[in-house]
Amino acid sequence: MITVHLKKLKRRTEISSEEERAIRGAVAEVRQVRADELVIRSGEYLSSSIILLDGWLARSKDLPGGERQVTELHIAGDFPDLHGFTLKRLDDDITALSDCRLAVVPHERILEVTQKFTRLGRVYWFSTNVDAAIQRELSLSLGQRSAISRMAHLFCELYVRLDVVGRASNNGYAFPLTQRELSECLGLTVVHANRTLQELRRRGLLELENRHLTIRDMRGLEGLAEFDPSYLYLEKHQL
Amino acid sequence: MITVHLKKLKRRTEISSEEERAIRGAVAEVRQVRADELVIRSGEYLSSSIILLDGWLARSKDLPGGERQVTELHIAGDFPDLHGFTLKRLDDDITALSDCRLAVVPHERILEVTQKFTRLGRVYWFSTNVDAAIQRELSLSLGQRSAISRMAHLFCELYVRLDVVGRASNNGYAFPLTQRELSECLGLTVVHANRTLQELRRRGLLELENRHLTIRDMRGLEGLAEFDPSYLYLEKHQL
DNA sequence: CGAAGCATTGAAGTGCGTCAACAATCGTGG
DNA sequence: CCACGATTGTTGACGCACTTCAATGCTTCG
């Protein structure tokens, strides 16, 4: 179950069997949450963090008027609120986009593990830095890319990230978001997100039905998105 | 000189005199760079990071077509490429917006210091997490706020951050960016950034001349920006 | 089976972009 | 210290990508 998290880590760095045991031992319990459940409210005090084992989570920030911006989508293997280990409260909400299974990791155990294995401290620091890189790429999208290029970019990124944890299959993946949620990722209205999605279909780049995305023309999609995965830091790192 | 960096750290957590000595000892040299100089190119291998002692730096990402998005502005006291310690290369460029003084900190010394003082490891991890929070707030701005609210928000944030390191004075601060650079922070064209700035002036909220910003109506500006500084994590933290 | 949420479409509006010109300021060399 | 080209700031006219509003069918699920 937590194997998916180790799979993600091992893609980017070596994890010794001793370190692996320490990580496995840090999990206190496994929880389930339902779709649409608010998992963590921004501002609330945190004494544990969660590893996403299965399902999708969104981190988002709202304006007083209700407008919502998703700051990052999280998939199986991610450690969505690991930054809460040092920050002790989040500045963004975490919501379940689908039913999810979560491994709860108390901060005191993260502290112990990273004291004992200082390299793991760097591995997890690295991990939050990659999340920050994903968020920077989002800023680039929101600030400079057109709606269609932005949407294409998101689908490309998710394909790569899902592939790392073995959740992508022959050019497609399960995609549980509604068009409203998708629009909140992209800084668009639902109506325009809908039209943009249709344009991607019309160009023969992808299909999206029954919550499943199929990429029909990966080259074309990547080209439209100007997608370059180097910001995902997929190569092996010495830490 | 590096005192400004310690000032920033001490605002958010305790730093013992032993830890302070370790930090001061980690600096290998002090460099100067001129305005408009490309300080770090994204992708290049890094074996040291820099603390900004004086001046302004911008982190930015470009699209193939030349469109640029600034992902974060950095001021005195910041550690702009600290994430390079784990990532070993950046996904964004770092450019000098003004003449700057930089303290160079070799990664091997960061490694030593954080091995010896594991709490300092968490302090710096915390620090990159705050940068990530600033970037999330930018995503919220780019995705959901109007041009004028976005610009107001940026000026509010910079006031608070500069105040922490004692670089803001009676409701104003030195602001070295050109309108082009400002527009690249906000995802706007220069022309529209210019008109938006004029609108802020016209409403009596601020003045900007000779590279100096004066806030005439802080309440009004914060209200327009819907500014809430909690994402800056200014309170004292146990790490 | 009914209600609520979700996807889709059309028509009309607007915030911001584009293009183009010009004024003001800056930096540099003579 | 002035000359002058380059950069920066400003303004106007116009265009368009995306929003807004509103209506309609389609799912989904209690």
Side-chain angles (χ1 to χ4, degrees), chain B residues 59-129:
Chain B
R59 281 158 66 185
S60 63
K61 303 190 72 155
D62 293 353
L63 290 180
E67 301 87 348
R68 168 169 298 184
Q69 180 61 46
V70 170
T71 53
E72 189 171 354
L73 290 175
H74 285 287
I75 59 171
D78 287 356
F79 214 147
D81 62 341
L82 179 54
H83 54 312
F85 170 59
T86 62
L87 297 175
K88 292 303 167 195
R89 63 178 168 85
L90 302 191
D91 50 283
D92 43 8
D93 296 321
I94 300 191
T95 316
L97 297 173
S98 68
D99 294 351
C100 292
R101 287 172 51 247
L102 310 171
V104 179
V105 187
H107 287 170
E108 48 200 27
R109 296 211 193 157
I110 302 181
L111 184 59
E112 287 163 21
V113 167
T114 56
Q115 297 263 36
K116 181 146 182 231
F117 302 93
T118 58
R119 209 191 75 98
L120 277 185
R122 292 190 294 279
V123 168
Y124 281 120
W125 188 356
F126 173 88
S127 170
T128 60
N129 284 338

Side-chain angles (χ1 to χ4, degrees), chain B residues 178-180 191 194-195 198 201 211:
Chain B
T178 65
Q179 290 190 11
R180 161 151 298 289
V191 172
N194 177 280
R195 291 195 234 262
Q198 287 178 56
R201 288 198 262 244
R211 308 277 120 113

